Amino acid sequence: MAGISATRLRTIFALFAVLSIVLSARVVYWQTVARGGLLERARGQVVSDEVIPAQRGTIRDRSGAILAATVELRSLYAIPSRVKDKPAAARSLGVLLGRDAAPILERLTSGGEWVFIQRRLPETTSEAIAKVRIDGLGFIKEPKRLYPNEDLAAHALGFVNDDGVGQGGVEGWYDEVLRGVNGTLVVERDPADRSIAVGLREAVAPRHGADVTLTIDLVVQTSAERELRAAVERDRAASGAIVVIDPRDGAIRAMASYPTFHPAGIAAADPASMRDRAIAWPYEPGSVMKVVTMAAGIETGVVTPTTTYEDRGYADIGGRRLLNALGRAWGPTTMTQVLERSANAGAVFVGAKLGGQRLSDAIRAFGFGTRTGVDLAGEANGLVRPLAEWYPVDVGTAAFGQGLTSTPLQLAVAYAAIANGGVIVRPYVVASWRDADGEHRTAPAAVRRAVSAGTASALRDMLVSAVDNGLAQGARVPGFSVGGKTGTAQIPSPDGRYIDDDYISTFAGFFPAVDPTFVAVIVLERPRSKLFGTVTAMSTFRAVAQDTLRYARIQPDRKP
């Protein structure tokens, strides 16, 4: 065999040398630069991270009654390949679950390696299924949000979806506070994917969600919902809303919207029932806004409670004639009587004296056109057009609450300012929450002064007279002074006109008037009693006021 040339030997030697250097460099690379990643990959083959779920916080009313809580329930799953007789299994499960067997069989034959059959079962149902012992079925525990009072305060509470995320109301607004932070458990496993009892275990404990206490009072809330439902059904109204608020600090004691839904059965809820009309229903409020017009007139000095004008049943402004309800002419009328009689012409009289700028400023000072800042998801702004877009007649219509929109909560906040001495307060529903760091309390917040204390006091007296001597006598509460105002507004149509013979009825008031502790606003959409829907609104206000005063143990300030 011919010998290998020296040149070839040198080439082979050089090649081996280069390969040795490359391999050495690669080894150095894996031992230094890439060492962390390599160890992590190796560790991943024998170690797994398991989630330790955090428990969602409990929601309670102001006295500690539970409104929402989380429990662990068993969810049924199947590994279809291990279910031998799928039709028989589907039939058995259909009977136990109270369901049609066909959808269950469809899941078992879907080709999936692992499928849910039904999630979050009642304990009795899961126990009955476990006793049947069908191969290929199993359970895992999942959290279930429960609402022990069913649909009570549903809109204020909101709900939790299947992924454990809060939606709407307190559940949505405070989701991060309530949800907490999941923990982790690092477990070393053997080749059969079984945890090794003496192997590596590293745990990061979960941070459970905070327990939340609301300003809502279960007793007042129950009264508000009962009376609202009765009013809607009695007057065959399309919907309704109630807000009860403490005017001194903005704490919401009750907030109801009808129709309603069950937070634990959200899949079956009508989407229309999930709308929180108390905060997300901007509507033209009508004559309850005359109080704001009168407040601006007294604050600026253009009128006093005793200022008189001649009421002819109408007022001309901006080339338009605006009528009193039913065209009634009252003759000589004081500003106090304007509120007693709910005279549109009187509101236009004050609006004309104020002018657009001062009236617009007053409407905005009372919070209309902007969100109140309540700690609930889904609040609407309401609409107050910029002054530059007003026509001359708008000074008149805005003076008695048409051509602008408000939510029931915005009205409650405005009347709270009259009740508390002239200050706009931010409404809130969460009084406090407690987590691992301790208790966190909501600090009541004064937003701004709407009118002086003197103006607010004069208005309180005028509104008491409206209940004692005027059209609002249906809101009287025996033994107590009450101040308030009715409102009946037409409903705008899509073409910019108003719908004939359809109205929204409102009553807004406070009690006891000598030292107001509560403000309540009741709104009914399209009551069948038409213009007399305010009668139903007033009787609803009276019923809620009586229940609330009795529960709060407030002593009468008048002889019955």
Side-chain angles (χ1 to χ4, degrees), residues 166-201:
Q167 306 287 316
V170 171
E171 297 275 30
W173 189 271
Y174 287 92
D175 183 54
E176 290 188 7
V177 172
L178 286 160
R179 191 194 309 177
V181 180
N182 290 336
T184 57
L185 176 63
V186 180
V187 180
E188 191 172 1
R189 295 185 177 276
D190 65 15
D193 198 32
R194 296 171 300 193
S195 63
I196 302 173
V198 295
L200 171 68
R201 285 178 180 264

Side-chain angles (χ1 to χ4, degrees), residues 312-349:
R312 296 175 292 174
Y314 64 86
D316 294 323
I317 187 169
R320 297 274 300 277
R321 177 161 289 183
L322 303 177
L323 304 176
N324 285 340
L326 306 178
R328 175 134 184 209
W330 296 97
T333 302
T334 67
M335 295 300 101
T336 297
Q337 289 173 326
V338 168
L339 297 184
E340 291 175 1
R341 300 165 178 173
S342 197
N344 291 344
V348 176
F349 170 81

Side-chain angles (χ1 to χ4, degrees), residues 5-29:
S5 68
T7 300
R8 181 173 294 183
L9 284 172
R10 284 195 294 269
T11 301
I12 292 171
F13 178 78
L15 181 61
F16 276 106
V18 170
L19 288 173
S20 298
I21 293 170
V22 170
L23 287 172
S24 298
R26 195 65 175 167
V27 169
V28 170
Y29 170 79

Side-chain angles (χ1 to χ4, degrees), residues 129-329:
I129 293 172
K131 289 178 181 178
V132 176
R133 297 183 181 277
I134 299 174
D135 289 340
L137 299 185
F139 296 96
I140 60 171
K141 286 193 173 182
E142 290 193 291
K144 170 70 174 177
R145 197 65 163 167
L146 296 182
Y147 300 88
N149 299 289
E150 298 184 343
D151 61 359
L152 192 72
H155 295 90
L157 290 171
F159 62 95
V160 176
N161 66 19
D162 280 343
D163 296 322
V165 180
Q167 306 287 316
V170 171
E171 297 275 30
W173 189 271
Y174 287 92
D175 183 54
E176 290 188 7
V177 172
L178 286 160
R179 191 194 309 177
V181 180
N182 290 336
T184 57
L185 176 63
V186 180
V187 180
E188 191 172 1
R189 295 185 177 276
D190 65 15
D193 198 32
R194 296 171 300 193
S195 63
I196 302 173
V198 295
L200 171 68
R201 285 178 180 264
E202 297 175 1
V204 176
R207 185 183 179 95
H208 295 308
D211 290 340
V212 170
T213 299
L214 304 187
T215 60
I216 286 176
D217 192 300
L218 193 60
V219 174
V220 181
Q221 181 73 28
T222 300
S223 173
E225 295 203 19
R226 181 185 64 245
E227 298 302 330
L228 177 62
R229 182 189 297 266
V232 170
E233 292 176 352
R234 181 170 63 249
D235 219 337
R236 291 178 294 154
S239 68
I242 288 183
V243 177
V244 180
I245 187 173
D246 187 332
R248 299 165 296 184
D249 62 4
I252 295 174
R253 296 298 186 89
M255 192 171 70
S257 181
Y258 190 84
T260 189
F261 67 97
H262 195 324
I266 201 68
D270 179 352
S273 71
M274 295 171 64
R275 183 186 186 191
D276 187 351
R277 286 162 175 77
I279 66 171
W281 175 24
Y283 75 101
E284 293 197 5
S287 293
V288 285
M289 287 293 290
K290 288 172 184 168
V291 174
V292 174
T293 303
M294 202 62 70
I298 294 172
E299 184 77 359
T300 58
V302 301
V303 294
T304 69
T306 57
T307 298
T308 302
Y309 79 105
E310 183 68 26
D311 190 291
R312 296 175 292 174
Y314 64 86
D316 294 323
I317 187 169
R320 297 274 300 277
R321 177 161 289 183
L322 303 177
L323 304 176
N324 285 340
L326 306 178
R328 175 134 184 209

Side-chain angles (χ1 to χ4, degrees), residues 68-100:
T70 299
V71 297
E72 292 286 333
L73 295 179
R74 289 193 281 183
S75 291
L76 177 64
Y77 69 86
I79 301 174
S81 62
R82 297 183 184 177
V83 180
K84 295 176 181 178
D85 189 344
K86 294 180 176 60
R91 287 193 297 272
S92 296
L93 290 175
V95 171
L96 293 168
L97 295 171
R99 292 173 50 190
D100 182 5

